[in-house]
Amino acid sequence: MILGLTRSWSLAGYVITAILLLPLLALIVQATLPDEAVFSHLFNTVLPTYIFNSLILMLLVGLGSLIIALPAAWFIARCEFPGRRYFQWLLLLPLAMPAYIVAYVYTDMLDYAGPVQRALRAWFEWQTPHDYYFPAIRSIGGAAIVLSLVLFPYIYLLARTAFMEQSSNLLHASKVMGCGPWRSFWRLALPMARPALAVGVALVAMETAADFATVSYFAVPTLTTAVYDTWLGYGSLTAAAKLSAIMLLVVFCMVGVERFARRKQQLFQKQARLDESDRYHLTAVKAWTAWGYCIGLLTLSFLLPFAILCGYAVDYFAESWDIRFWQYSLNSLYIAAIVSAVCVVLAVVLMFLRRVSPRSSDHLASRLSSTGYALPGTVLAIGVLVPLTYIDFAINDVMDWMGAQGPGLLFTGSIFTLIFAFCVRFVAIAIGSLENSYKRISPSLDMASITLGQSPMQLLRRVHLPLLRKGMFAGALLVFIESMKELPAALLLRPIGFENLATYVFQFVSDEKLEHGALAAIVIVMVGLIPLIYLNRSLEQSH
């Protein structure tokens, strides 16, 4: 720790934290204001349904993702079978596929007029819907299945890592005691992986709570769609803020319950590198069962939707390849580039402050800056719009008082609002990436720099930044991709006439014309594959 750290660094950290917390504080203040009876009407009519649907959907997606991710994680981590080396990174690909695109593809396939039901009617000579029963894809169950197929890699990745990091000595001991693969998994590996599984389920539940496009397309009323409809339909920002506060309460309660459940759980195990001799070598039927499960899961969650997208893109290439596609692609690229650069700079300042400052308040500032990632996009949009609208009006009032013409909607009428919202939400990703990189830098380097008379700025520039380049690149890359994919905040905060690839594709999905936006959707997916490949390479190097 550097005791001679100048106050300017601490002040910079406090200012950054205050700016990043401004949307959350503004949202809480706005939620305490009275409204024009809109919230009371919602509370007495549809709000219980919104809350019930949100909780049920989170439960179904969490359980569904856990059920389909666990076998895949165990096969990859502890078993040897044909294709295991490739499946360990291929099963991460669904994260690159936006859920609402998968929702459209499966709805188009499984709806009454889709090819599956048409084939069933032709084969069995059914004439009307009364002749047979087929589950409704546009339902809360259908939304849960689609979201589970897209979000299960969160649990798969954490569970796979947990299984791989479990001591091989414990596995050998279980074999000596007569435990086969199933008993070893159920009695030893699964309980030890519980912390990772709890974190994974919590992440999936929060992503489910934040989803807007999928539930909107399936016409499932949740708190996320309620915020959107209340703001744009009823025109009540205060009522939307109250609903957003309820969503925040649900999210924070989930995080609290997950941590409370693990408060007394401690695992102590001697780490031992896992090699091929420690894995169960599957043969014959068992090997093909593991292969079939992995390829089936990969096909349903990524290969099939992506292949259909490619087919759409080829068939409608002439309609898609136009000036709008290029303009919206450039909009997405430069917004994402600005956001990733700003987030990395902010993360460097906050993490450097946490690294070298002896004050606990400086450490708290950097941790509070990450809370924006817990805000769903619709909630974040409310929190961002409230203070920036107030600032816009204040600037115009001052200009009018001075006898000059005001600038109008300086912030809320430009892309600044969108960039600010993305930075608030995604700076946590850059902070997390740099935090992992800082753990690999020995404190002795800091002490040596102090001994040589280096200032904090010189320490950062000459020692830390060269060693943080890999973490900074990873953080910038992840923020870039998340900014390309973010939809709810972009829908609500984009200036009039401004579109990016995410909003462009969603408009086609809403109009049941994804075929015309398939090329843009493929760009989003392909860009999303970059950090997944990078992540897998990093994991392979660490194991």
Side-chain angles (χ1 to χ4, degrees):
M1 295 183 181
I2 300 178
L3 299 178
L5 188 71
T6 60
R7 292 186 177 272
S8 60
W9 280 95
S10 296
L11 180 61
Y14 298 150
V15 170
I16 292 173
T17 302
I19 293 175
L20 294 176
L21 287 177
L22 184 60
L24 178 60
L25 299 177
L27 179 67
I28 295 173
V29 172
Q30 186 72 24
T32 61
L33 299 178
D35 68 305
E36 303 80 11
V38 173
F39 183 77
S40 300
H41 170 70
L42 294 174
F43 184 84
N44 294 324
T45 54
V46 294
L47 184 57
T49 302
Y50 290 149
I51 296 176
F52 177 78
N53 287 344
S54 297
L55 295 177
I56 288 296
L57 187 62
M58 290 160 59
L59 176 64
L60 292 177
V61 176
L63 288 177
S65 300
L66 182 65
I67 290 172
I68 63 179
L70 266 181
W74 176 255
F75 288 148
I76 299 300
R78 289 298 196 182
C79 301
E80 191 65 44
F81 62 95
R84 184 197 68 83
R85 179 179 178 184
Y86 301 102
F87 283 125
Q88 69 178 351
W89 64 269
L90 286 173
L91 289 175
L92 296 175
L93 297 184
L95 285 177
M97 184 72 70
Y100 57 91
I101 294 177
V102 179
Y104 178 91
V105 169
Y106 278 108
T107 300
D108 191 51
M109 289 177 55
L110 302 177
D111 217 351
Y112 180 77
V116 173
Q117 291 202 50
R118 289 205 310 268
L120 290 176
R121 290 195 296 270
W123 290 339
F124 297 102
E125 298 183 353
W126 294 325
Q127 301 298 322
T128 67
H130 301 289
D131 296 335
Y132 68 101
Y133 170 77
F134 197 88
I137 184 66
R138 291 186 185 241
S139 63
I140 194 169
I145 293 173
V146 168
L147 288 171
S148 298
L149 287 174
V150 173
L151 298 177
F152 83 87
Y154 285 109
I155 300 178
Y156 157 76
L157 180 59
L158 293 171
R160 188 192 79 176
T161 304
F163 290 146
M164 294 180 69
E165 290 180 346
Q166 290 173 1
S167 174
S168 59
N169 294 333
L170 295 177
L171 179 62
H172 296 156
S174 68
K175 291 181 179 179
V176 171
M177 297 177 67
C179 290
W182 171 249
R183 293 180 65 188
S184 176
F185 167 78
W186 187 255
R187 293 189 175 185
L188 180 64
L190 188 59
M192 293 179 63
R194 182 189 164 194
L197 298 180
V199 172
V201 172
L203 281 173
V204 168
M206 285 190 287
E207 290 292 331
T208 303
D211 180 81
F212 166 76
T214 307
V215 294
S216 176
Y217 181 72
F218 279 162
V220 177
T222 62
L223 285 172
T224 310
T225 59
V227 173
Y228 186 88
D229 295 338
T230 302
W231 183 2
L232 298 184
Y234 290 97
S236 176
L237 192 61
T238 301
K242 292 180 183 294
L243 292 173
S244 300
I246 295 176
M247 285 192 64
L248 283 182
L249 182 62
V250 171
V251 171
F252 288 139
C253 283
M254 281 193 306
V255 176
V257 167
E258 182 267 328
R259 292 183 178 179
F260 179 80
R262 297 189 292 113
R263 69 193 187 282
K264 294 182 179 180
Q265 186 176 33
Q266 298 184 36
L267 296 177
F268 300 96
Q269 54 179 319
K270 182 179 179 181
Q271 297 294 326
R273 185 177 178 85
L274 194 71
D275 53 40
E276 290 198 16
S277 62
D278 295 320
R279 295 193 179 96
Y280 298 104
H281 288 259
L282 304 182
T283 57
V285 176
K286 292 182 179 180
W288 287 109
T289 299
W291 184 89
Y293 183 85
C294 292
I295 193 64
L297 183 57
L298 178 63
T299 300
L300 292 175
S301 59
F302 182 80
L303 295 181
L304 180 60
F306 188 72
I308 293 176
L309 274 183
C310 292
Y312 288 158
V314 172
D315 294 339
Y316 292 85
F317 182 80
E319 292 88 342
S320 303
W321 190 265
D322 55 15
I323 188 63
R324 293 185 303 168
F325 169 75
W326 286 104
Q327 182 61 52
Y328 301 157
S329 298
L330 289 176
N331 288 346
S332 294
L333 288 174
Y334 79 75
I335 290 289
I338 293 173
V339 172
S340 59
V342 172
C343 285
V344 168
V345 171
L346 296 180
V348 167
V349 174
L350 292 170
M351 287 307 304
F352 179 73
L353 187 63
R354 187 195 300 185
R355 167 84 173 197
V356 302
S357 175
R359 291 183 288 269
S360 59
S361 58
D362 292 342
H363 295 196
L364 179 63
S366 62
R367 297 186 186 280
L368 289 176
S369 300
S370 300
T371 56
Y373 192 69
L375 300 178
T378 50
V379 174
L380 177 62
I382 301 285
V384 167
L385 192 66
V386 170
L388 293 186
T389 301
Y390 177 81
I391 294 173
D392 273 342
F393 281 128
I395 293 175
N396 283 276
D397 289 341
V398 171
M399 295 298 290
D400 289 341
W401 177 76
M402 297 175 61
Q405 184 178 0
L409 300 179
L410 181 63
F411 295 115
T412 55
S414 67
I415 63 171
F416 175 86
T417 306
L418 202 57
I419 294 173
F420 178 52
F422 284 7
C423 288
V424 171
R425 179 161 168 75
F426 299 129
V427 70
I429 299 176
I431 290 175
S433 180
L434 286 180
E435 185 175 12
N436 290 330
S437 296
Y438 258 121
K439 290 178 180 179
R440 299 182 178 93
I441 300 178
S442 173
S444 61
L445 293 177
D446 298 353
M447 298 299 103
S449 298
I450 296 173
T451 303
L452 294 173
Q454 300 292 299
S455 66
M457 178 59 75
Q458 290 173 325
L459 170 64
L460 176 63
R461 180 170 57 86
R462 296 181 177 179
V463 180
H464 289 179
L465 288 182
L467 298 175
L468 292 173
R469 281 182 298 181
K470 188 175 181 179
M472 291 169 62
F473 174 75
L477 188 62
L478 292 172
V479 172
F480 183 90
I481 303 307
E482 290 296 326
S483 301
M484 291 279 292
K485 293 169 56 179
E486 174 63 25
L487 176 65
L491 276 176
L492 293 171
L493 297 176
R494 71 190 192 277
I496 296 176
F498 182 89
E499 299 280 356
N500 62 6
L501 288 178
T503 59
Y504 180 59
V505 172
F506 181 72
Q507 294 299 330
F508 283 117
V509 171
S510 301
D511 296 337
E512 304 282 351
K513 296 179 179 179
L514 177 61
E515 298 87 351
H516 298 277
L519 186 61
I522 288 176
V523 172
I524 295 176
V525 173
M526 295 303 294
V527 173
L529 294 179
I530 298 174
L532 295 179
I533 297 173
Y534 181 85
L535 174 63
N536 182 73
R537 291 186 61 185
S538 299
L539 290 174
E540 286 183 339
Q541 292 174 1
S542 62
H543 289 287

